[in-house]
Structure formats: structure tokens, C-alpha cells
Amino acid sequence: MRRIFPILINLIHRHRLAGKRALSIAGRILPRPLFRRLCAVAEQVAFRAKPEYQGDSLPPIFHYWSGRYLAPDAEHLGIYSPEQFYFDEICKAAGGGASHSIEVLSLGSGACSMEIALSRRLIDHGILARVTCVDFNSDLLRQAAVQADTNGLSESMQFLQVDCNQVSALPASSVIIVNQFFHHVESLEQLCRAMKQALIPTGRLLTSDIIGRNGHLLWPDVLEAVRGFWDELPERKHFDRYFGKVRKTYQPVDHSAYSNEGVRAQDIVQCLLEAFDFELFFTFGGCIMPFVERRIGFNFDPTDAGDRLFIDRVQAEDVAAMAGGKFPASNMIASLRHKGSTERTQFEPVSPEEYLRVSRMQKEKLGRGG
């Protein structure tokens, strides 16, 4: 059985597109609650099969774009990576560090690789912190517990199996981390209420997440910009890895049709703003994202001057459009506090309220068939 299981996992991974299409069809036939449970099972299988997939499969052009544009913008705000951001904010929350213990809660932690590295680093820096990892995938949590024990972290970490779509209470925490997980949650309001109750009065909520249109579709004005640039490209640059073929027209894919990917991504900021105040709100990535991510990004070579020039032009239009309120960003890194507790605010390039205003404009365009 041990030999058969890896073969089965690889078989599922190779034929994942067929599985996605089958789930999309099921979503049009099955009752919504049953379909959502089916999606949850599919996600458990996917993350158990390839827990490293998301982080290890970005195209080289992504690293060119992020290194030249995203990193400098983030570093201007003191953000050197999401992981460094979480570490720095926990250190701030810990104050003196060794004088008292700090409770850190990470929601949707998956395989917990980030949390294990964070816990090790906090201990090495003399910060007394207990990191609690929460996920609905019991297999991943068991594997993470073994890994934590191997790294001498069994006393500073714990692992809780919880479905954050049905959560009513969470452990009291000084810091809550939600890393690339909000966009998997359908019951956002319920989760925000639980986080509000769990976060101590002086605590902070830290997140890096996707906040674009539901299902990772594109807002009307974003899609118009993407298709404009798409039409400039030669046919060899039109290969779409999702469909496995050259596409004359760029076609968005609704990933929430077969999974919980982006199921309520466009509602995340609104739900958070109703429960907390944003202290830091850094947003980025609109029409540039399709050209640097997995579906299309492998068509571009960062060592090719023409490809770099193209990415540079898309990035310039993207930044101008988001700063000018034409369309909202699809990604955020943020820090939040309880209402009335923020000490100072940093919003780049727009405030959460402006983000919501522009998002509403795009929703209205959709309503008019735009």
C-alpha cells in the first residue's frame, strides 16, 4: 500500500485538469452544501498530494517582476517578505521578549512549514512564543507535528484540527496570522467574529492574501487591459497551461467552480473592515498578474530584453490604473488591530475604503454586463 499511494497521488496530480472540469460540472448539478463538501475533500487531496506545489512552481518571470517592482515597494513599508513581516510584528508584540510568553495563532496553516520555521526563529531570538497551527486537514497536521518534534519544537507548538468555515471559538491570542487562507473561506463573517473574540485587546491580526474578484476571475477593466496586452503578443506567447494549448483570446477561469479557491476573495477587505481597523494596507497586482503567474508566465524569459520590456510596460499601466482608481489590486499584505486601537496607518497605494469604492464600481460594471 505504501508503494501504491505515491503512484495514485501522482496520477491524480497529472490528471488534475480533468478533475477540475468534473467538479465544475458537479457544481452545476449538486446542491450547494454537498458541492462545497466535495470541494473541501478535493482540496485535502490536492494539498496532501503536493503541499509544496504553490511555492515551488512560480515561473522565472515572476521573480524578475517581484524583484524589480514588488520587493522595492514592499521594502519601502518595511516588508521584506510575508514571513519576515510576521516575525517582525510578533517581536513588536512580544515587547521585551523573554519577560512573558506570547500566543501566536496561525489559521489555515496547511503543512505548517512556515510556522515551524517561524517558531524556530522566535526561539533562537529569545522570544517566548507558542505557535498554534489550525487547519482542517488532519493528515497535514500530523505530519507537521512530527516535523516540529524532530526540530525540538514540541513544547512551543501545538496543532488543532478545525474547520474555519464552521468555527465558533478560537484560542486567545496576541497575534493571529492568516497566510494565503482567507480566500479559501466561505464563512468569512463567522471567522472574523471568532478572530475578534480571540484577539487580545492589544493584539494584532497579520495577513498576506488574495483579494481580487471571486474565483480569481478578473474585474472588467482588468480583463480589458489584459486582453489589450494579450493581443500585442505573438502566437507563441499565447500558450495557456490551464487549457494546455494556444489561446487566441485570454480566457479567465473561475477557480471557485471546482474548489474553494477565491470563493469570496472580493469580500475579504469588507469583512475585515467591519471587525477591525487596518493599520497597514499594502495592495498590489492587477493586470500584471496573469503575465507573471503559472498559467501564462512560463511564456516569458527574464533573460530576454523584449520580454522584460513587455512586463515593464504592463507593470507601469497596472500601477497607474490602481493608484488612479481605475481598478483594484488583487493582493494585499496587512496588519489590523481592534477598532480604535491603531497607532498609525500606512496605506499604499490606496486606503481600504478606496479599495472598496473601486471594487464596487467594478461590480456595477458587471451588473451592467461590462
Side-chain angles (χ1 to χ4, degrees), residues 124-174:
D124 291 345
H125 282 74
I127 305 295
L128 295 179
R130 182 167 63 173
V131 179
T132 299
C133 300
V134 171
D135 201 88
F136 77 144
N137 193 320
S138 58
D139 289 331
L140 290 183
L141 291 177
R142 280 194 292 270
Q143 294 171 24
V146 172
Q147 187 66 25
D149 185 59
T150 301
N151 284 273
L153 300 171
S154 57
E155 297 297 320
S156 59
M157 297 191 73
Q158 63 178 348
F159 305 89
L160 300 178
Q161 183 186 10
V162 175
D163 184 349
C164 287
N165 273 304
Q166 301 178 15
V167 65
S168 58
L170 292 165
S173 305
S174 301

Side-chain angles (χ1 to χ4, degrees), residues 167-184:
V167 65
S168 58
L170 292 165
S173 305
S174 301
V175 175
I176 297 177
I177 296 173
V178 186
N179 186 60
Q180 297 297 316
F181 177 64
F182 277 131
H183 69 272
H184 289 276

Side-chain angles (χ1 to χ4, degrees), residues 54-235:
Q54 295 293 323
D56 292 350
S57 61
L58 288 166
I61 199 66
F62 177 89
H63 301 293
Y64 164 77
W65 166 75
S66 62
R68 180 164 185 178
Y69 297 107
L70 177 57
D73 288 346
E75 289 170 8
H76 178 71
L77 298 172
I79 303 169
Y80 297 92
S81 70
E83 295 81 4
Q84 182 67 40
F85 172 62
Y86 301 147
F87 174 79
D88 290 342
E89 291 297 311
I90 292 170
C91 289
K92 290 178 188 176
S99 60
H100 64 283
S101 179
I102 184 169
E103 296 290 337
V104 178
L105 181 68
S106 180
L107 302 180
S109 51
C112 307
S113 56
M114 184 272 289
E115 290 79 4
I116 290 172
L118 177 63
S119 180
R120 178 76 269 164
R121 191 176 177 194
L122 289 168
I123 290 174
D124 291 345
H125 282 74
I127 305 295
L128 295 179
R130 182 167 63 173
V131 179
T132 299
C133 300
V134 171
D135 201 88
F136 77 144
N137 193 320
S138 58
D139 289 331
L140 290 183
L141 291 177
R142 280 194 292 270
Q143 294 171 24
V146 172
Q147 187 66 25
D149 185 59
T150 301
N151 284 273
L153 300 171
S154 57
E155 297 297 320
S156 59
M157 297 191 73
Q158 63 178 348
F159 305 89
L160 300 178
Q161 183 186 10
V162 175
D163 184 349
C164 287
N165 273 304
Q166 301 178 15
V167 65
S168 58
L170 292 165
S173 305
S174 301
V175 175
I176 297 177
I177 296 173
V178 186
N179 186 60
Q180 297 297 316
F181 177 64
F182 277 131
H183 69 272
H184 289 276
V185 179
E186 188 167 13
S187 303
L188 283 170
E189 293 84 357
Q190 185 174 349
L191 179 58
C192 285
R193 286 193 295 270
M195 291 191 302
K196 184 176 180 180
Q197 293 171 358
L199 194 65
I200 68 171
T202 58
R204 59 198 75 197
L205 167 61
L206 312 174
T207 182
S208 171
D209 224 308
I210 302 171
I211 55 171
R213 187 180 165 194
N214 288 350
H216 305 326
L217 289 166
L218 302 181
W219 292 115
D221 285 337
V222 179
L223 180 57
E224 181 182 356
V226 168
R227 284 180 168 166
F229 283 113
W230 185 266
D231 290 343
E232 295 181 18
L233 294 170
E235 184 176 325

Side-chain angles (χ1 to χ4, degrees), residues 1-39:
M1 182 61 115
R2 289 182 179 178
R3 293 181 179 179
I4 295 173
F5 185 72
I7 296 173
L8 179 61
I9 288 297
N10 288 328
L11 182 66
I12 293 171
H13 185 67
R14 280 201 308 273
H15 297 285
R16 61 192 180 277
L17 180 56
K20 291 174 182 178
R21 289 172 176 166
L23 281 169
S24 296
I25 294 171
R28 295 193 289 269
I29 300 171
L30 297 175
R32 185 174 178 83
L34 179 57
F35 173 62
R36 285 300 170 205
R37 285 198 293 272
L38 185 61
C39 286

Side-chain angles (χ1 to χ4, degrees), residues 271-332:
C271 288
L272 288 174
L273 198 55
E274 289 173 357
F276 303 95
D277 284 338
F278 280 87
E279 193 164 62
L280 168 69
F281 185 65
F282 171 51
T283 55
F284 58 92
C287 68
I288 186 64
M289 298 313 297
F291 298 103
V292 298
E293 291 188 331
R294 296 172 184 86
R295 278 181 60 191
I296 312 300
F298 285 97
N299 296 336
F300 301 96
D301 180 357
T303 66
D304 182 277
D307 285 356
R308 293 197 305 272
L309 181 61
F310 175 79
I311 294 299
D312 294 343
R313 287 197 300 111
V314 179
Q315 169 68 10
E317 178 167 322
D318 201 32
V319 169
M322 289 185 296
K326 183 177 181 181
F327 53 67
S330 60
N331 301 270
M332 77 168 175

